[in-house]
Amino acid sequence: MADAIASVKGMNDILPPDSAAWQRLEAAARGVFTAYGYGEIRTPIVEHTELFARGIGESTDVVGKEMYTFEDRAQRSLTLRPEMTAGCARAYLEHGLPGREPVTRWWYGGPMFRYERMQVGRYRQFWQLGAECFGVAEPTLDAEQIAMLHALFSQLGIAGLTACINNVGSGDDRVRYREALVTYFTPHAASLCGDCRRRLAQNPLRILDCKVDGCRAIAADAPQPVAYLSDGTRAHFDGLQAALGEMGIPYRLEPRLVRGLDYYTGTVFEIVSASSALGAQTTVVGGGRYDGLVEQLGGPPTPAFGFAFGVERALLAMGADGAALTAKPALYLATRGAAARQRATALAQALRGRGLVVEVEHREVGMRAQFKRAEKLGSTWVLALGDDELAKGEAMVRHMATRAEQPVSIASAAASGPLAELLATPR
Ligand code: HAM
């Protein structure tokens, strides 16, 4: 036998019954996002590398260290998307949305790729569900998206989540804050890691996001962005908190929160989980305002706000049990003989048309084994169909939990008659 080929490190298969939990989460997200007026966008998994370099920022870890970048056969530099916001901003411009509608609301779901060190809750291919809104500068929109997530996670019964909010400033406040950071970190430069010494010159805000212990200790006393907010930004931040308060959405101010991507201006937020199932990766959702991104990509000034959450992390926080969510067959058709199997296959076809989950045993195996399998699958009913039953035109259907049996006609008309009625009756 040839050597078996494994999946790529950090990239996972999702099999049943786990996929049932994914489907539940996705269905709930689709329902909630739709209720808030978001329409689904699907973009290519591959984009020009330049989009992420310009949109997310060269000095971020994502662009500097984590992208899956390759040249195609025409020597174009392409990258597997590490996130969706840049792609959405590109699509927003490419399809002329700024001139077509004042407000654009999109949601998305799909795989993202980052070459990160793997841990529980951190993978190289992971799924995000997210939303982006273009065209609204007011803080009630920021609050509405946070409330949308609150509604979704409440519906899914995910407990122990906290929304942490901050404001990293924009425009002039950002310039003043940058200067304050340079002033603070410069005397500590020799104690910073190599990356952070470079960040000090290029983008000192990134130092606050460094995971190296020494840098974290120094950053602990660094100035906080909220102290540098202009009156306008301060009013926006107050407006966000007032709107969250009026809706009763719980949140915590997190003055040290900065995000790992460069496009953020103003509001930033994360939702963190207290669940131990997530290990060190406690952040489930990340998002915020990015009022400069569309312009940076060549479009008109456009306020925007969005978020994304990691599906794997949300499922861990949920403690989702795919097996419990998997649809069980209403009927398992145990068969013996080719003629009986053919009839059973036709009967099942008609019953499924009535919305029932039906499974047929197509293999020639003993009846005992078939009943065992039906039990394992959690089927409510079993109908055993062999040549004798075919000849009589009648078979016993057994209710698996009570073991009660009753005769049913197996004429093909049964699919819309007594058998279908019986199977659809809750027991
Ligand atoms: P992000 O914070 O880089 O933001 O990622 C958002 C979420 O994706 C994280 O909170 C986490 O749940 C999940 N995630 C990120 N990396 C991994 C990984 N390696 N393995 C598993 N899950 C991961 C963004 O991506 C922004 N585009 C969010 C946004 C949308 N901001 C504005 N609009």
Side-chain angles (χ1 to χ4, degrees), residues 256-276:
R256 297 191 184 285
L257 177 66
V258 292
R259 305 261 307 120
L261 313 164
D262 276 353
Y263 47 64
Y264 292 107
T265 54
T267 309
V268 290
F269 81 102
E270 289 186 347
I271 297 181
V272 295
S273 165
S275 164
S276 58

Side-chain angles (χ1 to χ4, degrees), residues 44-52 67-82:
I45 283 174
V46 177
E47 299 271 6
H48 292 288
T49 303
E50 159 104 28
L51 173 69
F52 302 117
M67 294 207 302
Y68 280 88
T69 296
F70 60 96
E71 282 198 346
D72 72 0
R73 288 172 194 277
Q75 279 77 53
R76 281 177 288 248
S77 180
L78 303 180
T79 293
L80 300 185
R81 62 185 187 196

Side-chain angles (χ1 to χ4, degrees), residues 188-204:
H188 298 286
S191 314
L192 294 172
C193 72
D195 278 346
C196 282
R197 278 200 292 278
R198 206 166 352 95
R199 288 169 181 146
L200 183 55
Q202 286 177 347
N203 189 351

